[in-house]
Amino acid sequence: MKVVTSVTTPLITGFVPTMGALHEGHLSLVREARKQCDHVVVSILVNPLQFAPNEDFKAYPRTLEADLALCEAAGADVVFCPDAAAIYPENFQTRVIGGELTQRYCGQTRPIFFNGVLTVVNILFGIVRPQKAFFGEKDFQQLFLIKQMVKDFWMPIEIIGMPIIRESSGLAMSSRNSYLSELQKQEATCLFQAILAVQEAVKTGERDIQALLDLARSKISLEIDYIELVSVKSLERLTGTLLEPARLLMAGYIGDKPRVRLIDNGLVTA
Ligand code: PAF
């Protein structure tokens, strides 16, 4: 607990929006918010607006009791866990529609996803009114689009991106990893292997983007949804020669019942 005796600086509220089924990735955000802010609010809401009808809204893991204990241990002051009906009452009408980037990369197979995310994050910002909000870099495109929304709408909120937290195997932590068997978790580490291989190739001088993407593909045994090298600054797809800091973004499918979609990414600097 922080004891504040001075009123010369305004108290800062830090916010960590989540969909629950919390893991170390989420908790690293809560701990960072605790370090940087006076009040820490975590929200838990499986947001129906960001799931297409064929996706896993119903099956998405819900572990509220465990989540509350984890939030408390990580230093949250308030956990806001509304019903979807409280956020989207019957007369709810307004949605955030992001730009064309919402339809690329993950948005190609999940066209409604980012608009659902931007809408709920906008609503939650209005309720919590944080000065700082914390998001993981695991969904790099989401983080980018939220920063863009905050800029476009002149929201007085600092968006803080935090590094991906991985299992010791290299698998990026995700609530959806609970769908995987131990064997599948092992197989899914190929996404991280692809990132390491590309980072290593760049370190040893490879700059040809097609060669780097081919290398990444050759490491991945999952059914690949997409792999791209994108500009860190603009999220534009890069082609030709690597001349600027890039993010290798990827998504793949593993398993059959359920067919699980996993994402991962890593920084690639020339
Ligand atoms: O990253 C997530 O968990 C969700 O997309 C978010 C940002 C909490 C919005 O529902």
Side-chain angles (χ1 to χ4, degrees):
M1 188 179 69
K2 193 165 172 181
V3 179
V4 179
T5 52
S6 152
V7 288
T8 52
T9 52
L11 298 182
I12 301 293
T13 295
F15 180 38
V16 181
T18 81
M19 297 211 299
L22 302 182
H23 51 68
E24 270 305 310
H26 299 108
L27 300 178
S28 70
L29 307 180
V30 180
R31 290 191 199 106
E32 186 61 24
R34 180 74 283 161
K35 266 193 224 154
Q36 294 194 26
C37 307
D38 303 293
H39 306 295
V40 176
V41 180
V42 177
S43 68
I44 297 178
L45 170 70
V46 183
N47 171 35
L49 230 59
Q50 67 192 70
F51 290 81
N54 62 337
E55 292 180 344
D56 58 342
F57 174 70
K58 273 204 185 128
Y60 197 85
R62 288 161 171 86
T63 56
L64 185 59
E65 230 173 276
D67 290 348
L68 295 178
L70 290 169
C71 284
E72 177 143 54
D77 295 304
V78 174
V79 182
F80 176 51
C81 24
D83 278 347
I87 299 297
Y88 305 115
E90 252 172 42
N91 62 351
F92 177 83
Q93 296 186 18
T94 310
R95 281 170 170 66
V96 178
I97 306 297
E100 193 249 327
L101 275 176
T102 64
Q103 303 305 301
R104 293 202 213 154
Y105 319 125
C106 283
Q108 259 192 317
T109 37
R110 306 191 71 195
I112 68 161
F113 172 67
F114 290 115
N115 289 334
V117 168
L118 294 177
T119 300
V120 80
V121 168
N122 201 328
I123 294 168
L124 292 169
F125 282 173
I127 295 168
V128 177
R129 304 192 178 208
Q131 283 73 46
K132 297 187 182 204
F134 298 77
F135 295 85
E137 286 183 343
K138 201 193 79 177
D139 195 330
F140 195 80
Q141 188 176 4
Q142 168 176 280
L143 174 63
F144 185 96
L145 291 168
I146 289 169
K147 282 185 178 164
Q148 183 72 44
M149 174 179 76
V150 163
K151 181 165 168 272
D152 289 345
F153 288 174
W154 292 79
M155 292 173 159
I157 303 173
E158 183 185 350
I159 302 299
I160 294 156
M162 294 290 293
I164 297 174
I165 304 292
R166 298 180 181 280
E167 305 284 356
S168 53
S169 65
L171 178 65
M173 289 199 185
S174 162
S175 304
R176 288 190 169 98
N177 289 352
S178 66
Y179 297 141
L180 306 179
S181 68
E182 287 310 309
L183 208 65
Q184 286 174 321
K185 282 184 189 163
Q186 197 47 48
E187 192 185 349
T189 60
C190 64
L191 296 173
F192 184 53
Q193 295 308 322
I195 294 168
L196 291 180
V198 168
Q199 287 171 335
E200 188 54 33
V202 171
K203 228 192 258 171
T204 54
E206 181 63 82
R207 295 288 182 276
D208 184 77
I209 287 173
Q210 194 51 55
L212 292 168
L213 293 175
D214 289 345
L215 174 64
R217 283 179 181 277
S218 75
K219 299 286 175 193
I220 296 177
S221 53
L222 313 186
E223 179 194 336
I224 294 172
D225 179 14
Y226 74 89
I227 304 185
E228 296 287 0
L229 269 163
V230 304
S231 159
V232 165
K233 256 200 218 145
S234 65
L235 220 71
E236 286 296 330
R237 178 171 170 262
L238 297 174
T239 54
T241 306
L242 184 69
L243 298 168
E244 59 175 298
R247 207 89 193 180
L248 182 67
L249 301 186
M250 59 183 77
Y253 296 98
I254 187 164
D256 189 12
K257 279 182 185 157
R259 186 167 181 251
V260 183
R261 187 172 178 280
L262 299 173
I263 57 174
D264 206 340
N265 71 82
L267 181 64
V268 176
T269 40

